[in-house]
Amino acid sequence: MKLYTKIVDGQSFTMPSNKIVLVKDDMQVFNPTEEMLLEDGWEIFEQEFVEPSDEEILTHEIDNVVNDILIYDSSENVNMFYLNDIPMWLDRETRRSLMGRLEAEHRKGKENTCLWYNNYKFEYSTVLAMEMLDTLEIYASECYDKTQEHIVNVKNIDTLENLKKYDYTTGYPEVLKFNLNYT
């Protein structure tokens, strides 16, 4: 769609013809023809294409890869562990909440606890459940650190060729697999 430009009261306006309403002889014209626009003082806006510099292209591509890293970081490739072959993930807030619960139960002398995940009930000793959450927290921290390292590495790349070669999926810890008997 063509764009048209016009200066009115010292301000420049640029818009497509279907957004311009002409007023002539107390009548409004919606979707004016090009001839009507030109008669009203509008000019065809010819935007010059400016080829982006290599630096601008690299910056844009780095931003895209950083976004891809963040998407990968939040995917099941990273945010996943298995408990008795059941895939699951507990976000940071849930991990902290569960740890608070387990510590309180343990302090009060409760030896066993019941945890729920998507209609699955897990009964474990409070000590074992806390150990699992500690291990999961360390795993999540290591994943976070690796993601941040990849972001820094990508932001320091100086050529498109090196950027295309960079594999941000490497170096993450192995997905945890807890195979435990219920209490």
Side-chain angles (χ1 to χ4, degrees), residues 54-76:
D54 289 345
E55 184 177 314
E56 291 170 326
I57 293 170
L58 179 61
T59 299
H60 177 75
E61 291 303 314
I62 285 173
D63 290 344
N64 286 340
V65 173
V66 166
N67 188 51
D68 290 345
I69 292 169
L70 295 172
I71 290 169
Y72 184 80
D73 174 70
S74 63
S75 75
E76 290 182 353

Side-chain angles (χ1 to χ4, degrees), residues 10-182:
Q11 282 192 319
S12 179
F13 295 91
T14 302
M15 58 187 65
S17 61
N18 66 344
K19 299 292 182 186
I20 300 172
V21 177
L22 298 180
V23 178
K24 190 171 186 181
D25 299 327
D26 293 328
M27 293 182 59
Q28 293 181 341
V29 177
F30 295 91
N31 294 320
T33 65
E34 184 171 290
E35 182 180 318
M36 295 168 91
L37 289 169
L38 295 174
E39 283 178 14
D40 193 56
W42 289 87
E43 296 176 7
I44 297 172
F45 180 75
E46 296 189 25
Q47 187 172 5
E48 203 175 303
F49 177 74
V50 178
E51 188 74 33
S53 68
D54 289 345
E55 184 177 314
E56 291 170 326
I57 293 170
L58 179 61
T59 299
H60 177 75
E61 291 303 314
I62 285 173
D63 290 344
N64 286 340
V65 173
V66 166
N67 188 51
D68 290 345
I69 292 169
L70 295 172
I71 290 169
Y72 184 80
D73 174 70
S74 63
S75 75
E76 290 182 353
N77 294 307
V78 176
N79 291 345
M80 171 79 72
F81 70 94
Y82 291 89
L83 181 55
N84 293 344
D85 296 324
I86 299 170
M88 57 180 67
W89 183 246
L90 303 174
D91 63 32
R92 185 177 191 179
E93 185 62 33
T94 302
R95 293 191 307 268
R96 286 185 177 185
S97 176
L98 283 174
M99 187 56 84
R101 170 190 171 174
L102 294 169
E103 288 171 346
E105 289 177 347
H106 184 68
R107 281 191 307 271
K108 292 296 183 180
K110 189 171 179 183
E111 292 183 20
N112 294 309
T113 191
C114 169
L115 303 175
W116 292 87
Y117 185 85
N118 287 350
N119 300 323
Y120 291 101
K121 180 180 180 181
F122 300 94
E123 295 182 69
Y124 293 108
S125 75
T126 53
V127 172
L128 181 59
M130 285 189 295
E131 288 173 2
M132 288 180 355
L133 276 175
D134 283 343
T135 301
L136 182 57
E137 190 62 36
I138 291 168
Y139 169 83
S141 296
E142 289 173 351
C143 290
Y144 173 82
D145 291 343
K146 182 50 66 176
T147 295
Q148 295 308 306
E149 180 183 321
H150 282 309
I151 289 171
V152 168
N153 290 346
V154 163
K155 286 184 175 184
N156 288 319
I157 290 176
D158 59 356
T159 67
L160 274 175
E161 182 180 334
N162 289 338
L163 183 62
K164 288 177 183 176
K165 289 180 188 176
Y166 190 85
D167 185 359
Y168 56 81
T169 66
T170 63
Y172 285 91
E174 190 172 326
V175 171
L176 297 174
K177 294 179 182 174
F178 299 105
N179 292 307
L180 305 169
N181 295 324
Y182 298 101

Side-chain angles (χ1 to χ4, degrees), residues 7-12:
I7 297 175
V8 179
D9 296 329
Q11 282 192 319
S12 179

